[in-house]
């Protein structure tokens, strides 16, 4: 991780100030920094220490069972872009995002529920879901609730640790381009950060 500065004081000059180090804020900081913009990210706690860190991190383009075709395609495109993103982030930051590629299962407790989910999956999905009966499910994932009688397995679904992703984004942005930094306010407001930048030629300001 980059050095975290804790003093509440003037933080210098940058073209982009991002306030909030969750998944969205840290991602913006990383991608803007990759474009060569000097960037400062301000965070009250540590990257991923708020709501983003409580998320599960599922990259579940199919398991979410989107009914809107455009949204479903957008989700698949996003999910499928992650392997390359993960390689770049982990190389730059040295932070593992705990990327898991075992796929997801959607269990069901009745034949009717399973058939309904299966019919929807094969009608809408393009990634070839697989039906697991109770025996196959018990062989693959022993110890599940005995009321579960089967599952739909989706091999392309993946998962990351959102907190680690935030830290990798932050570390990557600090090592991309020049004059990029993480600023930790220790729970203080961001007024000092804003005051220190309001006389600069900043180009973007994001509040997340």
């Amino acid at each position: 991780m980059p050095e975290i500065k804790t003093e509440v004081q003037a933080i210098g000059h940058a073209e982009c100030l991002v306030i909030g180090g969750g998944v969205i804020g840290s991602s913006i900081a990383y991608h803007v920094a990759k474009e060569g913009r000097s960037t400062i990210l301000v965070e009250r706690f540590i990257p991923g220490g708020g709501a983003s860190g409580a998320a599960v991190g599922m990259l579940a383009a199919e398991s979410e069972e989107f009914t809107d075709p455009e949204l479903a395609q957008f989700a698949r495109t996003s999910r499928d872009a992650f392997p390359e993103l993960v390689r770049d982030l982990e190389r730059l930051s040295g932070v593992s995002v705990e990327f898991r590629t075992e796929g997801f299962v959607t269990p069901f407790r009745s034949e009717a529920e399973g058939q309904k989910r299966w019919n929807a999956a094969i009608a809408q999905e393009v990634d070839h879901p697989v039906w697991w009966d109770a025996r196959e499910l018990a062989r693959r994932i022993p110890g599940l609730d005995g009321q579960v009688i089967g599952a739909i397995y989706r091999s392309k679904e993946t998962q990351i640790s959102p907190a680690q992703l935030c830290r990798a984004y932050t570390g990557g942005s600090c090592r991309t381009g020049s004059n990029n930094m993480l600023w930790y306010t220790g729970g203080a407001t961001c007024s000092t950060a804003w005051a220190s930048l309001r006389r600069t030629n900043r180009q973007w300001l994001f509040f997340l």
Side-chain angles (χ1 to χ4, degrees):
M1 282 294 297
E3 178 184 357
I4 298 178
K5 301 181 182 297
T6 58
E7 308 85 5
V8 180
Q9 62 186 44
I11 61 177
H13 301 272
E15 295 173 276
C16 178
L17 171 64
V18 182
I19 299 178
V23 166
I24 297 174
S26 58
S27 174
I28 289 173
Y30 171 73
H31 287 96
V32 171
K34 279 191 70 175
E35 294 182 358
R37 306 280 185 176
S38 59
T39 306
I40 294 173
L41 181 131
V42 180
E43 167 58 39
R44 284 193 303 166
F45 304 111
I46 60 173
S52 291
V56 177
M58 297 168 52
L59 306 175
E62 306 289 6
S63 302
E64 294 287 355
E65 300 178 348
F66 296 111
T67 57
D68 183 283
E70 292 186 3
L71 182 57
Q73 181 57 52
F74 184 81
R76 283 192 292 270
T77 300
S78 177
R79 178 201 62 196
D80 295 344
F82 256 80
E84 182 178 356
L85 173 64
V86 167
R87 286 193 296 271
D88 289 345
L89 282 176
E90 293 185 340
R91 174 180 56 82
L92 280 170
S93 68
V95 176
S96 169
V97 303
E98 301 174 9
F99 188 49
R100 302 186 61 176
T101 59
E102 297 95 336
F104 285 4
V105 296
T106 303
F108 47 84
R109 290 181 169 84
S110 71
E111 287 289 343
E113 178 191 2
Q115 197 62 53
K116 180 179 179 180
R117 289 185 176 277
W118 177 254
N119 291 341
I122 60 176
Q124 298 176 21
E125 298 177 16
V126 298
D127 292 334
H128 307 296
V130 178
W131 177 283
W132 286 356
D133 60 19
R135 178 178 297 181
E136 181 67 10
L137 181 60
R139 183 180 75 84
R140 300 270 192 157
I141 311 176
L144 284 181
D145 183 344
Q147 294 182 350
V148 175
I149 65 168
I152 297 172
Y153 171 64
R154 297 170 171 96
S155 62
K156 291 190 176 183
E157 307 285 65
T158 54
Q159 185 174 17
I160 49 89
S161 163
Q164 290 296 100
L165 180 63
C166 293
R167 292 159 196 166
Y169 270 138
T170 304
S173 64
C174 288
R175 292 172 173 83
T176 300
S178 60
N179 300 321
N180 303 314
M181 69 176 72
L182 165 66
W183 193 274
Y184 167 71
T185 67
T189 67
C190 293
S191 58
T192 302
W194 168 246
S196 68
L197 284 162
R198 62 187 174 186
R199 290 187 296 276
T200 70
N201 292 322
R202 65 189 182 282
Q203 296 194 9
W204 295 311
L205 174 65
F206 298 99
F207 285 86
L208 288 309

